[in-house]
Amino acid sequence: MLLDALLFQLGYNAALVMIGAGLLGLAAGMAGTFLFLRKRALVSDAISHATLPGIAVAFIVMEAFGGDGRSLAGLLIGAICASALGLAAVTYLGNRTRLSEDAAIGAVLSVFFGFGIVLLTVIQAFGYGRQSGLEGFLLGSTAGMLRSDATLIAVSAALTCAIVLLMRRPLTVAAFDPGFARVSGQRPDWAEAVLMAVVLAVTVVGLKVVGLILIVALLIIPPVAARFWSDQSTHVLWISSIIGGLAGYFGAALSAIAPDLPTGPIIVLCAFGLFLVSFLFAPERGVLASVLRHFRFRRDVHMRQGLLALAQGHPIFEDLTLKLLIRAGFASADGVPTDTGRARAAKALRDEARWREVRGDPAFERAAARYDGLTDLSDVLTEDQLREVDARIGPPVGAA
Amino acid sequence: MGFEFVSLSLPPLVIGVCVAIACAVPGNFLLLRRQALIGDAISHVVLPGIVLAFVVAGSLSSVAMMIGAAVAAVFSMVAIELIRRFGRIEPGAAMGVVFTTMFAAGVLLLEQSDTDGVHLDVEHALFGNLEGLIWFDALGWASLLDPVALAGLPVELPRMFAVLVIIVVFTVVYWRPLAVMSFDEGFAQALGLRTQALGMMLVILSALAAVAAFDAVGSIIVIAMFICPPAAARLLTNQLGRQVWLSALLAAISAIIGYVLAGYGLGWLGYGASVSAAGMIATVSGVILAIAAVCGPHRRRVS
């Protein structure tokens, strides 16, 4: 069943919705990366919650003028107006009064949402009941979508995607270094405005699919997940958009076979699943990589200390050290060093003696900074330098 | 006005006022400490906990709800810390990931848990059901003195009232440290105040208020209760004591006006229906904030 959905076998509408959701996720992943870099992800939360009264007013107006209140295009225009108003309110409260931006975001988000709920109950009170389908905008609902609505979503998602793609250079520069952007002749405030416009577009297009309460997740989760894979902004951008796209696509497919459930939470949980994969398995920053690194480090420390102990003829009491030495063939089961073990131990001791000399000499300051008790000095210094050090400390003990 | 009012309107009205004040008072300090969105975060995170508690316990009892919410909150804190540590990701983004995911999980759980009691559905969780908290046993004003009838009060009323009392007592007892900490955390630490413990206490009490208010106003509108009255009060005065009193007053006013408008507003226009009380309370508090933002005497930043 899921396979059918993934392969677009569940009908034209479902396929359109899945493509639209995928494109939406792509655009959201990209726009979200810039928000993440600018640390303004929560502004989008205010924008998305602010759409609700706009949707309700648009419904009422369209019904009042004898039209069909459920027309998606009309509702989305209402949503755009209301969310622009919400954004303006956040900006006013944050810049013109002494309230901080997060207070402004919280206030706008909850008040607009509350007012939207009031309007929804008004619409119910006037007898449209549940047929208005406006509740679907809260958490997303893609079941039984009209052909025209699905097309509208797919097309506008593709447009949003194209805009972010075109604007990604100025957006990146403005996100990292507004000062540089200004002196290089760009307008960072414009880039900011474009970013907000794109976020608004993502929010509005995502209303029907993800819903206004959870759309912010599609802007936050992909970039954070992508951050685990790379340190480079362009890579993060692409990985984030891919994660967003996959989440949208899989989520919409899953929702197509579970029409009773709201689509938004499913898409969000898909995004979280991809995040979890990144969190666990990403190289470098992933949990698995960290654990492996930890064990490798521990092994190296024990090995080194064990070899030094062998070289100096100290008994080894630490079980793990002994086990590692025995496994490497450096010691026999009773802790007596083998011939290879003796050779390696002498080498480790020699290295330690060289390090001691290097660390005592200010001329080798740079090299001495790399001392961690594990690195071989021959990895740090050149042949000539090593020879110089050796000349100072004399021949190895026992070799004479 | 007698029987009907006492039975249908008085309990939700009182609960609404209690919720509004219980959220507004800690909201003052959260606002000053730039933690205004903590209320938002808490209300999102506790949803799966509350739903799980509801599924396990079969009803929305106070104890189960608090335990579920606490478990969810602790779980989210651990998750945020893990993500922050491993990914070296700023706390705001890590919080965003955890909160939205937990909220999504809560909503799906809610949809899955087929509860015939019709006590808890998605709409309920999002914007509460203040007008549903009615007092069946009331027969009129006299019932306020009748112990048998009083026993039938909606359980949310004593619960919310208790939370309000706890919060007020905390605020009064720790007034000085709270005030010092909110304006100058470094100075408070230099004085030897345990600001971390106190800050944690503040967050826990806010969580308590948010969870207790869940039934009445749901998990999104409660944010308005945390932010709007304190924010409006902050624009009206420069003195913390006055600000807290004013915020409580504004909260109570929004609750009363909001409830009355929601219950009777459409009736005055000639339609016999009511609208969402929680939504209306948020709207009224937003209007008050807007007025304060446009003409409050202390709205500008001191530069």
Side-chain angles (χ1 to χ4, degrees), chain A residues 72 100 148 169 179 213 227 239 272 298 311 356:
Chain A
L72 185 61
S100 60
S148 57
R169 299 295 312 164
I213 294 174
R227 197 67 188 77
I239 296 170
F272 182 72
R298 199 172 69 163
R356 212 173 303 124

Side-chain angles (χ1 to χ4, degrees), chain A residues 162-374:
Chain A
I163 294 174
V164 200
L165 270 179
L166 284 175
M167 291 298 294
R168 71 181 188 282
R169 299 295 312 164
L171 283 177
T172 314
V173 176
F176 271 107
D177 197 342
F180 171 72
R182 201 171 302 119
V183 293
S184 62
Q186 297 176 10
R187 297 278 305 267
D189 46 337
W190 278 43
E192 181 81 29
V194 169
L195 179 58
M196 282 301 137
V198 169
V199 168
L200 216 149
V202 167
T203 309
V204 170
V205 176
L207 278 180
K208 186 78 185 165
V209 183
V210 189
L212 59 93
I213 294 174
L214 285 168
I215 184 79
V216 67
L218 215 48
L219 289 159
I220 292 182
I221 298 178
V224 175
R227 197 67 188 77
F228 278 86
W229 295 95
S230 172
D231 283 333
Q232 234 190 319
S233 74
T234 43
H235 292 176
V236 171
L237 188 63
W238 290 115
I239 296 170
S240 166
S241 60
I242 291 170
I243 290 175
L246 286 177
Y249 172 73
F250 280 122
L254 269 175
S255 142
I257 58 175
D260 290 342
L261 295 178
T263 316
I266 298 180
I267 292 183
V268 172
L269 289 186
C270 280
F272 182 72
L274 292 169
F275 167 82
L276 212 55
V277 170
S278 315
F279 177 68
L280 293 178
F281 302 116
E284 202 78 15
R285 288 189 173 197
V287 172
L288 192 65
S290 300
V291 170
L292 284 181
R293 202 165 39 233
H294 173 75
F295 278 115
R296 206 175 307 130
F297 180 70
R298 199 172 69 163
R299 196 193 60 206
D300 290 350
V301 170
H302 277 273
M303 196 62 138
R304 179 78 172 194
Q305 294 305 319
L307 284 173
L308 289 178
L310 283 187
Q312 290 158 339
H314 296 163
I316 296 170
F317 297 112
E318 170 62 47
D319 286 340
L320 181 65
T321 313
L322 202 56
K323 212 160 53 185
L324 285 169
L325 286 173
I326 294 170
R327 202 186 301 156
F330 294 159
S332 55
D334 52 0
V336 178
T338 60
D339 285 344
T340 36
R342 235 185 293 275
R344 285 294 294 271
K347 212 171 151 228
L349 193 63
R350 177 77 182 161
D351 193 48
E352 210 46 44
R354 284 169 170 176
W355 269 113
R356 212 173 303 124
E357 177 62 28
V358 166
R359 291 171 68 210
D361 183 356
F364 286 112
E365 197 180 4
R366 294 284 294 280
R370 290 190 50 190
Y371 177 74
D372 57 3
L374 293 176

